Amino acid sequence: MACPFLRNPVNISAQIVRRALRRERVFRDRQDPIAFPDSYLYERYRFSAEGILYLCKLLEPHITNVTRRSHALTVTQMVCIALRFFASGTYLYAIVDAEHLGKNTVCRTIRKVVLALQGYLNSFIVFPGFLSTLSIKEGFYKIAGFPRVIGAIDCTHVAISTALGDHEADYVNRKSFHSLNIQMTCDHECMITSLDAKWPGSVHDSRIFRESSLCQRFEEGLFDGVLVGDRGYACQRFLLTPYPDPQTRSQNWFNVALSKTRVKVEMTFGILKARFNCLRHLSPERASQIVAACAILHNIATIRKERVPALNQLLPDEIDPITLDHPAGAAVREAITTQYFT
């Protein structure tokens, strides 16, 4: 029976039984995210166990939690959460369910890793590349016999959700969806060597290059070599494009060799988007930063010889051709045609 002298008049024996059956508060023992075969890790994170550990050591000074209160996430867990988002491209709630974490925790973790990676932008994306200029020229020359090339250039569109504000129309591209127009250059090994990821989708490729720091550095004569691009760019002395209407066999050979050389940048886009499916659709507020983070991770994966995912079939971007070539560029193009393709 109940005791009248207790604040909670419940039978003493019942209280004893209740205490015995009360569940103690325990924290979930999260699995070690890299304690799986590399095939499992490649599928979910796009990196092997050794690659993930390398990223953890690289990012640890910037993302580690200063406390273990409430069982804070480890560096390995944070890196894997971010990699899973980059690789899958799924909505955040899917990452939340997969990692058994709260949505706010996942958002903060991804944000922290993205900012940490951006700090290494100038360390892993350098022009003309990590190899010597001569080695890069030789690598491009072996493709199709095109001389003096130190980079292939092009732009690709990354879809974003509807941009807010008065400038929404600027983000609508030629295919009538909202996007960022991302300019990249690469070397002969599909390493990204420069990145410009801030322009709305309606901006023309030629304008992005014309206003880029890369173009300014070429104009100042800082590089010994040329870029190769498509007809979306004007032919310049440091950026060679195909003949718009080839008349001779030599001009046709020039166009074929340039196309085979320039395709490296298209391959780079394909690998990048297959490796990181998050680039299929991004929020406008974080799109530029996430693109930069994925570009850095791509170069790290390339350097470490990580497995290349199966490439998706990318539809070629529509080219709005430039009809006015610079006289100096046309002269360089003709000189190369005469010397190498006659």
Side-chain angles (χ1 to χ4, degrees), residues 283-319:
S283 64
E285 296 83 7
R286 302 284 182 248
S288 296
Q289 296 172 337
I290 292 177
V291 169
C294 290
I296 294 166
L297 290 172
H298 166 84
N299 278 3
I300 293 175
T302 304
I303 292 170
R304 296 188 56 82
K305 308 296 183 185
E306 299 286 352
R307 185 183 305 171
V308 177
L311 299 184
N312 301 323
Q313 185 65 33
L314 294 178
L315 296 176
D317 289 334
E318 296 178 6
I319 299 174

Side-chain angles (χ1 to χ4, degrees), residues 102-131:
K103 182 177 179 180
N104 290 338
T105 300
V106 170
C107 289
R108 288 195 302 268
T109 299
I110 295 172
R111 175 71 172 154
K112 185 181 291 187
V113 172
V114 167
L115 293 177
L117 283 169
Q118 280 201 302
Y120 291 98
L121 184 65
N122 295 326
S123 299
F124 286 100
I125 299 181
V126 295
F127 190 87
F130 295 104
L131 301 175

Side-chain angles (χ1 to χ4, degrees), residues 27-47:
F27 291 99
R28 183 178 60 82
D29 183 18
R30 298 188 180 99
Q31 291 180 323
D32 182 1
I34 61 173
F36 295 96
D38 279 349
S39 58
Y40 177 97
L41 299 177
Y42 275 120
E43 181 181 355
R44 286 158 179 77
Y45 307 122
R46 298 297 191 260
F47 281 86

Side-chain angles (χ1 to χ4, degrees), residues 5 40 105 118 131 151 160 169 176 200 250 313 332 341:
F5 303 104
Y40 177 97
T105 300
Q118 280 201 302
L131 301 175
I160 59 174
S176 300
S250 298
Q313 185 65 33
V332 172
F341 299 103

Side-chain angles (χ1 to χ4, degrees), residues 90-111:
T90 56
Y91 292 103
L92 284 182
Y93 69 78
I95 308 298
V96 168
D97 294 341
E99 300 293 339
H100 305 288
L101 295 168
K103 182 177 179 180
N104 290 338
T105 300
V106 170
C107 289
R108 288 195 302 268
T109 299
I110 295 172
R111 175 71 172 154

Side-chain angles (χ1 to χ4, degrees), residues 87-303:
S88 65
T90 56
Y91 292 103
L92 284 182
Y93 69 78
I95 308 298
V96 168
D97 294 341
E99 300 293 339
H100 305 288
L101 295 168
K103 182 177 179 180
N104 290 338
T105 300
V106 170
C107 289
R108 288 195 302 268
T109 299
I110 295 172
R111 175 71 172 154
K112 185 181 291 187
V113 172
V114 167
L115 293 177
L117 283 169
Q118 280 201 302
Y120 291 98
L121 184 65
N122 295 326
S123 299
F124 286 100
I125 299 181
V126 295
F127 190 87
F130 295 104
L131 301 175
S132 66
T133 301
L134 179 59
S135 297
I136 295 173
K137 289 181 180 179
E138 291 176 346
F140 275 117
Y141 185 80
K142 291 178 181 178
I143 297 172
F146 204 99
R148 299 182 55 205
V149 179
I150 59 174
I153 185 171
D154 202 0
C155 290
T156 188
H157 288 270
V158 172
I160 59 174
S161 56
T162 303
L164 304 178
D166 298 334
H167 302 288
E168 177 183 342
D170 294 339
Y171 290 86
V172 181
N173 60 28
R174 295 187 301 271
K175 297 181 180 179
S176 300
F177 65 87
H178 294 82
S179 70
L180 290 182
N181 198 5
I182 311 298
Q183 175 183 281
M184 291 184 188
T185 59
C186 72
D187 65 10
H188 59 289
E189 295 181 343
C190 293
M191 286 277 292
I192 297 171
T193 55
S194 73
L195 173 69
D196 199 338
K198 65 177 183 291
W199 292 92
S202 65
V203 180
H204 197 281
D205 296 2
S206 61
R207 178 188 170 189
I208 296 176
F209 177 68
R210 186 170 63 248
E211 299 190 16
S212 67
S213 60
L214 181 63
C215 180
Q216 180 180 354
R217 293 163 71 191
F218 266 103
E219 290 175 341
E220 294 172 355
L222 299 182
F223 304 115
D224 178 24
V226 298
L227 297 171
V228 287
D230 58 25
R231 287 295 302 164
Y233 301 94
C235 186
Q236 305 180 57
R237 56 185 174 81
F238 49 78
L239 198 170
L240 299 180
T241 62
Y243 286 95
D245 187 20
Q247 301 294 324
T248 66
R249 184 172 59 179
S250 298
Q251 291 179 355
N252 277 308
W253 286 350
F254 176 96
N255 281 6
V256 171
L258 186 146
S259 178
K260 290 181 178 180
T261 306
R262 192 196 66 82
V263 78
K264 281 294 181 178
V265 71
E266 300 287 354
M267 294 173 60
T268 302
F269 290 151
I271 296 171
L272 180 68
K273 291 184 177 182
R275 182 170 270 149
F276 304 114
N277 284 310
C278 68
L279 298 179
R280 293 179 299 180
H281 196 274
L282 295 172
S283 64
E285 296 83 7
R286 302 284 182 248
S288 296
Q289 296 172 337
I290 292 177
V291 169
C294 290
I296 294 166
L297 290 172
H298 166 84
N299 278 3
I300 293 175
T302 304
I303 292 170

